[in-house]
Amino acid sequence: MSLDGLGEFDLISRITARVQPGHGVVTGIGDDAAVTGLTTGMQLLSSTDMLLEDVHFRRCWHDPYLLGRKSLAVSISDIASMGGLPRWSLLSLAIPPDIPLVFLDEFTRGYLAMSAEQGVALIGGDTCASRSGLTISVTILGEQAPGLVVRRSGARPGNEIWVTGTLGDAAMGLKLLEQRPPPHPGEAWGEGEKTLLSRLLDPTPRSAVGLALAGSGLVTAMIDISDGVLADFGHIAEMSAVGGTLQLNSLPVSAHFRSAARAFPAFPHQLVLSGGEDYELCFTASASDREKITRLLKKCGVAGMPVGIVTSSPEVLVIDAEGAPYHSENQGFNHFA
Ligand code: ADP
Ligand code: MG
């Protein structure tokens, strides 16, 4: 069955029927606007993201359940990078009429599974028909106390630049998909490759660690790494009116990445620096707080390490193992570049 026969309202009902009650939700889906109670003294953090078919995802690569999860995960990542607690979401869909109903049901199941895991309530959205591809737009709302919100603008010369997790896995996953396209991906992948693919197709937002870092008061600036650490630290640098030096050989890569990298003529540093879609956090903090941050990350069960230093000169440089500047061909993903 496709969506042709169903209509907008039946479609909304199929989503609404599965929505769980959420924190602070006074009136959820069904009225002209949702009503939510805000926690006293907190500020509201709001962010919105679009995912377009054949720009951000391909229906032949992205399983609908995972696409549902990822649609919310990437928005939660924006709240995490501000050190906020994600609370509520709005989901807008422009759906080509030929999409099978099971696709939408699976998408919804994935979206609501991520909602439940992250404590985010779906409180509304919009649904319409699309004449060219599936468009998914997610608005996320979160909360944080005014003094604890972490911006891009607070990095100071001498601060250390940190990243969580490993970089480049999602970009390597994309390379694998490009080299060995479906229809039968499940049969073709080894365990390590599956891990790389899941970094691309099913990212985990760093919400708990983002919140803990904000709560510690130790972090001077933070951003989520969606376009590669080079570009995303570049945003911190610009907003903080500083520069930075990234140590190429300090950038954390996974064992799975290293093993997939053997198929390349030279080690693919580009994927680590500018691959995108890692959804890890990049943050800056005083070098004297290194031990405290290490302990905090350990407590959160998330790996993280310093990868460079904030400088007063405005350039962002990458330095190789010999101390020589490494020239990056690509500064990260840019839609209009
Ligand atoms: P309106 O005509 O006032 O815009 P809609 O018919 O678009 O109302 O939506 C009816 C209700 O269903 C609203 O509460 C809206 O937030 C919700 N809604 C619509 N589409 C979605 C969706 N894709 N996911 C969640 N809620 C939705
Ligand atoms: Mg509407």
Side-chain angles (χ1 to χ4, degrees):
M1 188 180 175
S2 73
L3 294 174
D4 293 326
L6 197 64
E8 178 188 338
F9 298 106
D10 288 339
L11 216 103
I12 297 172
S13 305
R14 286 178 89 86
I15 299 175
T16 312
R18 299 182 183 181
V19 168
Q20 302 292 315
H23 172 94
V25 181
V26 181
T27 303
I29 296 172
D31 216 314
D32 289 315
V35 183
T36 50
L38 306 175
T39 311
T40 311
M42 292 289 202
Q43 285 181 333
L44 186 67
L45 308 178
S46 317
S47 173
T48 197
D49 267 303
M50 289 206 288
L51 283 96
L52 275 68
E53 184 169 351
D54 296 331
V55 177
H56 301 95
F57 67 91
R58 297 200 196 171
R59 254 194 277 164
C60 63
W61 287 357
H62 290 79
D63 166 272
Y65 173 79
L66 296 182
L67 184 61
R69 292 178 60 85
K70 183 171 176 176
S71 300
L72 181 58
V74 302
S75 286
I76 290 174
S77 180
D78 283 322
I79 299 294
S81 68
M82 303 291 290
L85 181 63
R87 287 282 199 203
W88 308 287
S89 83
L90 297 127
L91 168 63
S92 296
L93 298 168
I95 308 167
D98 67 338
I99 282 203
L101 191 52
V102 62
F103 184 100
L104 194 81
D105 283 344
E106 279 298 286
F107 175 89
T108 304
R109 193 169 71 81
Y111 190 94
L112 294 176
M114 181 58 68
S115 304
E117 283 166 30
Q118 296 283 330
V120 175
L122 178 61
I123 57 170
D126 199 19
T127 305
C128 53
S130 164
R131 289 187 195 161
S132 60
L134 176 63
T135 295
I136 303 157
S137 168
V138 175
T139 298
I140 185 96
L141 305 167
E143 294 186 306
Q144 183 50 287
L148 296 181
V149 173
V150 184
R151 293 173 176 78
R152 297 177 177 184
S153 53
R156 294 293 167 258
N159 281 177
E160 285 182 316
I161 305 165
W162 290 71
V163 297
T164 62
T166 55
L167 304 178
D169 292 335
M172 185 64 89
L174 183 61
K175 286 276 175 228
L176 294 175
L177 278 177
E178 284 168 354
Q179 282 158 12
R180 235 187 295 164
H184 303 297
E187 298 158 22
W189 308 116
E191 283 313 307
E193 291 171 325
K194 281 187 193 160
T195 306
L196 296 169
L197 288 171
S198 80
R199 291 293 313 267
L200 174 73
L201 301 173
D202 191 15
T204 305
R206 297 296 187 193
S207 38
V209 68
L211 194 62
L213 285 167
S216 75
L218 300 172
V219 170
T220 53
M222 186 150 63
I223 192 167
D224 65 325
I225 305 176
S226 54
D227 298 326
V229 67
L230 189 56
D232 287 318
F233 174 73
H235 296 312
I236 287 186
E238 195 184 340
M239 296 298 282
S240 301
V242 295
T245 305
L246 294 167
Q247 297 289 339
L248 192 59
N249 57 342
S250 302
L251 296 173
V253 297
S254 69
H256 298 313
F257 183 98
R258 278 187 200 289
S259 111
R262 287 194 209 110
F264 287 68
F267 190 83
H269 290 297
Q270 279 304 320
L271 299 185
V272 181
L273 284 167
S274 305
E277 299 228 75
D278 291 315
Y279 299 107
E280 295 293 349
L281 296 174
C282 173
F283 59 90
T284 55
S286 165
S288 59
D289 290 326
R290 187 194 275 212
E291 307 262 285
K292 285 185 200 155
I293 291 173
T294 304
R295 276 200 298 276
L296 182 150
L297 292 175
K298 200 166 175 197
K299 214 166 140 193
C300 293
V302 171
M305 56 179 70
V307 297
I309 294 283
V310 177
T311 56
S312 51
S313 67
E315 309 86 56
V316 177
L317 297 174
V318 180
I319 300 293
D320 70 16
E322 282 76 49
Y326 173 85
H327 293 288
S328 179
E329 309 143 21
N330 175 338
Q331 297 294 310
F333 189 72
N334 178 336
H335 276 275
F336 295 103

